[in-house]
Amino acid sequence: MASPRQPQKSTYDVIVIGAGIQGSFTAYHLAQRHKDTLLLEQFLVPHSRGSSHGQSRIIRSAYPEQHYSRMMPESFRLWQQLEAETGTTLYRQTGLVVLGPPGEPELEACRKSLGVDEFLDAAALAQRFPGFRLQAGQVAVVDSTAGVLFADRALRAVQEAFRRHGGTLRDGEKVLRIEPGATVTVTTSAGVYKAPRLIITAGPWTGAFVEQLGLRLPLQPLRIDVCYWREKQPGSASLGSVSPCFLTLGLSQAPHGIYGLPSIEYPGLMKVCHHHGSPIDPEKRDQVPSSAPRPDISILSSFISSYLPGLETQPAVMETCLYTNTPDGDFILDRHPKFSNIIIGAGFSGHGFKLAPVVGKLLCELSLGEKPSYNMAHFAITRFPGVLGAAL
């Protein structure tokens, strides 16, 4: 269903392109700061064409990278603040099990980020969570703060809060052209808008937008298979809605990592996915034939057979999502190197949803010329050489 039409005008303090979770939180923070903000979305909302749809995402404190683990306390707090503001439940605490081989550096970094003293071995994990079966010698660490974010509900809540703070969301408007300058001009399929500040958070479409602005960012959209696997005994305590989320680090059986969520979306079905996919043009996502090879399914089936014996080994439901990956898996949160009033948020690499409240705050701060709340070195465009193309 389309968003209610708001009175159309042409000038704003800030324009944000892309109303996924990152752009919506960015616009929300700007509107909270009393900036007259326009949030543009090419599709009618809600939609399932990008990276922010679906019912669930993992939220966790456990992160191998300190620059993310430092952000997570504030991210939890801001999610709770949005829950209180909108009167909507957005989070369910389930815990998280991180699985891996002993000595795995990322697993050890997760343990340190949680302040946990020791790992669980196979017997201890099976006693605590009977649905999981570790292989001999492997270990796990438990993040008790973790859980499930209700993604569709969260996106709707932050967009509604943005509107209540005076923001304007215009959906069904495809951006056709961006003209940089002291005042940026954005031409869409339905109008022309101007603002002294522009923020681009267009997910897998970001690369095409920034090419207009002389940037060649190394962004790779991937088509991800989102798979749901049936419990052999529906409603079993070990694999039902009371089970934790999980993710793997450094397992030879799980290249790129595998993650899972309990059966909250579809009763009796557990969500288990490979953290990888096939390169895709976002404009041609729906043209991929159903018979196209899906090597991730065999990886997942083998993993489930070994580690989650309470699940059937063929998916009962398959959906798709898009990731937009950077080469190093870190986000891009930075000013355009030539046009400092154009801010880019991109490359969330399949792990950005939980951090969206903080990402939105950082993009807001960058656009207003303020010192960011966190060290931005890991998110700089300049970490990728040769991205600035011919001058416009």
Side-chain angles (χ1 to χ4, degrees):
M1 191 172 95
S3 61
R5 282 288 132 187
Q6 295 165 293
Q8 184 162 359
K9 63 177 190 173
S10 60
T11 60
Y12 293 86
D13 294 333
V14 192
I15 298 171
V16 180
I17 297 175
I21 195 65
Q22 312 295 348
S24 294
F25 258 112
T26 301
Y28 165 74
H29 282 289
L30 287 161
Q32 276 192 316
R33 302 282 293 275
H34 308 292
K35 301 302 177 184
D36 188 10
T37 305
L38 172 65
L39 178 57
L40 291 170
E41 171 54 50
Q42 65 174 319
F43 301 114
L44 297 176
V45 297
H47 68 84
S48 59
R49 300 290 301 277
S51 303
S52 296
H53 64 282
Q55 296 180 48
S56 63
R57 298 291 190 281
I58 294 174
I59 183 169
R60 54 189 163 102
S61 298
Y63 249 112
E65 302 88 358
Q66 288 189 3
H67 49 284
Y68 295 120
S69 63
R70 290 189 185 116
M71 293 177 179
M72 283 312 304
E74 183 176 19
S75 192
F76 272 103
R77 181 178 62 77
L78 290 173
W79 280 114
Q80 291 165 357
Q81 179 180 301
L82 183 64
E83 283 187 316
E85 181 178 341
T86 60
T88 306
T89 300
L90 303 177
Y91 162 68
R92 178 171 180 174
Q93 188 171 359
T94 65
L96 170 81
V97 176
V98 188
L99 314 173
E104 164 60 38
E106 289 192 329
L107 189 62
E108 177 64 23
C110 280
R111 184 191 66 78
K112 289 181 179 178
S113 75
L114 293 170
V116 175
D117 291 332
E118 58 186 19
F119 294 105
L120 301 180
D121 61 15
L125 182 67
Q127 184 175 14
R128 187 164 174 182
F129 301 115
F132 293 93
R133 178 190 294 162
L134 280 181
Q135 305 304 294
Q138 294 173 348
V139 294
V141 64
V142 176
D143 177 354
S144 60
T145 70
V148 175
L149 286 170
F150 301 123
D152 285 341
R153 195 185 300 176
L155 182 60
R156 186 167 57 249
V158 70
Q159 289 172 352
E160 290 173 355
F162 164 64
R163 285 198 187 99
R164 283 197 297 273
H165 285 285
T168 301
L169 169 59
R170 297 192 64 83
D171 62 348
E173 290 198 30
K174 186 177 179 65
V175 172
L176 305 176
R177 188 167 64 255
I178 300 169
E179 299 168 59
T183 298
V184 182
T185 302
V186 177
T187 301
T188 76
S189 54
V192 178
Y193 308 99
K194 296 178 182 289
R197 306 173 188 89
L198 173 69
I199 303 172
I200 301 172
T201 52
W205 289 270
T206 299
F209 283 130
V210 300
E211 279 187 12
Q212 297 180 38
L213 304 170
L215 272 184
R216 297 187 184 93
L217 295 180
L219 298 171
Q220 178 60 70
L222 298 177
R223 182 178 184 268
I224 306 298
D225 290 321
V226 181
C227 301
Y228 299 83
W229 310 75
R230 194 176 307 281
E231 299 170 11
K232 291 177 179 176
Q233 295 181 345
S236 62
S238 60
L239 286 170
S241 59
V242 297
S243 72
C245 304
F246 77 88
L247 62 87
T248 71
L249 292 174
L251 291 183
S252 59
Q253 303 94 324
H256 307 288
I258 289 173
Y259 64 92
L261 295 86
S263 57
I264 290 175
E265 296 181 48
Y266 301 112
L269 301 181
M270 190 171 182
K271 181 177 180 178
V272 183
C273 307
H274 192 202
H275 193 68
H276 191 59
S278 305
I280 191 75
D281 178 342
E283 293 291 343
K284 299 177 180 178
R285 170 182 170 179
D286 297 332
Q287 299 175 24
V288 177
S290 58
S291 59
R294 286 179 143 151
D296 295 331
I297 303 304
S298 60
I299 291 171
L300 289 168
S301 294
S302 176
F303 175 85
I304 284 169
S305 179
S306 298
Y307 288 84
L308 298 165
L311 298 181
E312 301 287 352
T313 56
Q314 291 300 313
V317 175
M318 291 178 56
E319 299 172 352
T320 60
C321 187
L322 297 183
Y323 287 2
T324 306
N325 282 29
T326 60
D328 58 12
D330 280 330
F331 311 156
I332 292 172
L333 309 172
D334 204 355
R335 298 181 178 89
H336 189 292
K338 184 176 180 183
F339 308 112
S340 61
N341 61 339
I342 297 178
I343 311 300
I344 300 162
F348 295 101
S349 302
H351 67 104
F353 198 103
K354 69 185 75 63
L355 284 153
V358 175
V359 166
K361 178 183 176 182
L362 290 169
L363 294 174
C364 170
E365 291 169 343
L366 285 172
S367 74
L368 299 179
E370 299 172 356
K371 181 180 179 180
S373 300
Y374 296 86
N375 185 333
M376 302 296 281
H378 290 279
F379 311 121
I381 287 173
T382 52
R383 74 186 194 269
F384 303 117
V387 297
L388 192 58
L392 295 181

